[in-house]
Amino acid sequence: MSMSFIDLAAQQRRIRGKIDAAIAAVLDSGAYVMGPQVREFEAKLAAFGQARLALSCANGTDAIALPLMAWGVGPGDAVFCPSFTFAATPEVVPWVGATPVFVDVLPDTFNLDPARLDAAIAGVKAEGKLTPRVVIAVDLFGQPADYPAIKAICDREGLKLIADSAQGFGCTLDGKHPLHWADVATTSFFPAKPLGCYGDGGAVLTNDQELWDLMDSFRVHGKAVAPDLVGRTFDHDTKYLNTRIGMNSRLDTIQAAILIEKLAIFQEEIDLRQGVADRYAEGLKGAVIATPKVIDGGVSVWAQYVIEHENRDGLAAHLKTQGIPTAVYYPVPMHVQAPYAHFPRAADGLPVTEAKAETVLALPMHPYLAEADQQRIIDAIRAFNG
Ligand SMILES: *Cc1c(COP(=O)(O)O)cnc(C)c1O
């Protein structure tokens, strides 16, 4: 018998009636773009993430690009980020003409290593070619980065901090969401993310109204927003007064309507994921693998449950024969991917990242993983002696 790696159908069965009604309401209204559900969802998302404001957009990649555009980050600027992440994290940096600088991660949490970040910033300053501007921390696999340490460095160096919480939206550290430390927290509603929609979507959370206004302009072709209209009158739709070069990055009303229903059960699903993670940790205790460690005071949303094994590929093949799907996040770190290999790296390289790429293995993880299936996974891992 086979099982799914991420079972989206189980959730859909649970709320299908509500989803159908929400979609039907959008179809009836005809407000397919920027309908009232978009604002309603933004308000609810902000409240969930302890933010004053949320700005929805087309995907989690644009969500990282929008604050970079709004801050005017560009050529000659350095943006520090991990290499052990999905391509979207560094990808947006060259979009705006800036340079990503790759920094190693901590061996236990897979998240940005503050000491290595410190060294990378010092290295860039000593070289004198680039100006440090922004740090992008990633909440990899669902758990918060070490925000207190990273924020202290950003404050000392005058750098902006982005929390790329595409995998970690809903995670907390000492009860606070990443935005408590970051200037913006971004997320993705790609279907397989902990809070996913039925297509592409993303959002930026911030406490800064001025930044929100600017990003609102950038997401709609640089349309005029309130600050642009101070001291002038414009009697037409402000979409047709273009005050900067923007893009088209809106969340569809249908996706917002779907997300309102999914957000309503999100906290419960986070708790279910924690139960699954606890059962893995208990069941795999003493097996010859490393189970995930969450930062002290942290609560993960468990986008992935990632174990480590010396013979990772052997273990994956063994599990496959038992009908158990696994995945490798990430087999090739970003700093060695061809289009990124010429970008700078922190001095001393990224040995932890390179080692992790060889050993990590993600197990089936979703809120509705049946205990019997999970026991089968645990037993199969324990039976592997390769
Ligand atoms: C998925 C992901 C993104 C991008 O999200 P999309 O909605 O697919 O554009 C960004 N960063 C990380 C770490 C991700 O996992």
Side-chain angles (χ1 to χ4, degrees), residues 39-106:
R39 298 289 183 214
E40 182 188 339
F41 173 63
E42 287 177 339
K44 288 182 165 160
L45 187 76
F48 193 99
Q50 295 171 344
R52 272 187 63 208
L53 302 159
L55 180 107
S56 60
C57 60
N59 53 69
T61 309
D62 288 357
I64 314 171
L66 282 164
L68 295 180
M69 294 167 86
W71 291 327
V73 174
D77 291 337
V79 176
F80 301 86
C81 65
S83 165
F84 199 53
T85 182
F86 181 61
T89 310
E91 181 179 32
V92 297
V93 178
W95 282 10
V96 297
T99 303
V101 179
F102 291 111
V103 179
D104 214 352
V105 293
L106 294 161

Side-chain angles (χ1 to χ4, degrees), residues 59-61 64 85-86 88-89 138 164 166-167 188 190 193 201 330:
N59 53 69
T61 309
I64 314 171
T85 182
F86 181 61
T89 310
V138 176
D164 175 356
Q167 298 178 19
S188 161
F190 181 80
K193 308 282 171 159
Y330 292 92

Side-chain angles (χ1 to χ4, degrees), residues 20-379:
D20 283 343
I23 293 172
V26 178
L27 295 185
D28 289 343
S29 80
Y32 310 129
V33 173
M34 288 294 180
Q37 291 88 340
V38 174
R39 298 289 183 214
E40 182 188 339
F41 173 63
E42 287 177 339
K44 288 182 165 160
L45 187 76
F48 193 99
Q50 295 171 344
R52 272 187 63 208
L53 302 159
L55 180 107
S56 60
C57 60
N59 53 69
T61 309
D62 288 357
I64 314 171
L66 282 164
L68 295 180
M69 294 167 86
W71 291 327
V73 174
D77 291 337
V79 176
F80 301 86
C81 65
S83 165
F84 199 53
T85 182
F86 181 61
T89 310
E91 181 179 32
V92 297
V93 178
W95 282 10
V96 297
T99 303
V101 179
F102 291 111
V103 179
D104 214 352
V105 293
L106 294 161
D108 52 354
T109 63
F110 308 137
N111 275 334
L112 202 59
D113 181 338
R116 302 318 307 153
L117 173 65
D118 225 358
I121 296 168
V124 165
K125 283 169 47 177
E127 209 182 31
K129 287 193 196 138
L130 298 169
T131 308
R133 286 289 305 277
V134 178
V135 173
I136 307 177
V138 176
D139 300 326
L140 200 72
F141 305 147
Q143 71 155 309
D146 186 353
Y147 286 108
I150 295 168
K151 169 69 170 161
I153 294 168
C154 290
D155 282 349
R156 193 192 68 217
E157 299 290 336
L159 308 181
K160 297 284 191 194
L161 175 57
I162 297 177
D164 175 356
S165 217
Q167 298 178 19
F169 181 73
C171 75
T172 56
L173 184 58
D174 297 330
K176 299 180 192 90
H177 288 253
L179 187 67
H180 177 78
W181 297 272
D183 294 283
V184 298
T186 67
T187 192
S188 161
F189 306 123
F190 181 80
K193 308 282 171 159
L195 180 61
C197 61
Y198 291 136
D200 278 306
V204 192
L205 282 77
T206 182
N207 294 320
D208 180 345
Q209 179 72 56
E210 205 176 318
L211 179 67
W212 191 97
D213 285 337
L214 265 177
M215 295 190 296
D216 184 32
S217 172
F218 278 107
R219 82 171 154 177
V220 187
H221 307 292
K223 68 171 181 181
V225 287
D228 300 317
L229 294 167
V230 175
R232 80 183 279 182
T233 51
F234 186 69
D235 295 332
H236 311 279
D237 189 334
T238 53
K239 248 194 314 202
Y240 304 111
L241 182 62
N242 306 98
T243 49
R244 52 191 64 80
I245 307 273
M247 58 207 226
N248 177 8
S249 186
R250 292 172 293 222
L251 180 71
D252 293 338
T253 311
I254 285 182
Q255 300 300 348
I258 290 164
L259 281 161
I260 289 168
E261 298 305 331
K262 290 199 177 204
L263 186 61
I265 59 167
F266 188 47
Q267 184 57 55
E268 188 191 330
E269 290 189 334
I270 293 173
D271 297 341
L272 288 169
R273 285 174 185 274
Q274 183 61 50
V276 174
D278 290 344
R279 290 205 297 270
Y280 270 137
E282 184 59 34
L284 293 171
K285 209 180 274 174
V288 270
I289 55 158
T291 50
K293 180 177 178 308
V294 174
I295 187 172
D296 284 345
V299 173
S300 177
V301 296
W302 298 106
Q304 305 292 346
Y305 191 89
V306 175
I307 61 170
E308 290 181 78
H309 195 281
E310 287 296 312
N311 182 7
R312 183 262 316 279
D313 295 338
L315 175 58
H318 162 76
L319 294 175
K320 194 173 174 196
T321 63
Q322 321 262 314
I324 297 167
T326 58
V328 174
Y329 305 116
Y330 292 92
V332 185
M334 293 311 300
H335 70 284
V336 296
Q337 300 269 6
Y340 295 88
H342 67 286
F343 290 124
R345 306 161 185 189
D348 299 338
L350 292 92
V352 176
T353 297
E354 286 165 17
K356 293 291 167 198
E358 304 295 324
T359 58
V360 286
L361 188 67
L363 303 180
M365 166 54 84
H366 60 86
Y368 307 100
L369 186 59
E371 282 192 43
D373 283 343
Q374 198 177 0
Q375 194 57 51
R376 212 154 63 71
I377 300 166
I378 290 165
D379 292 343

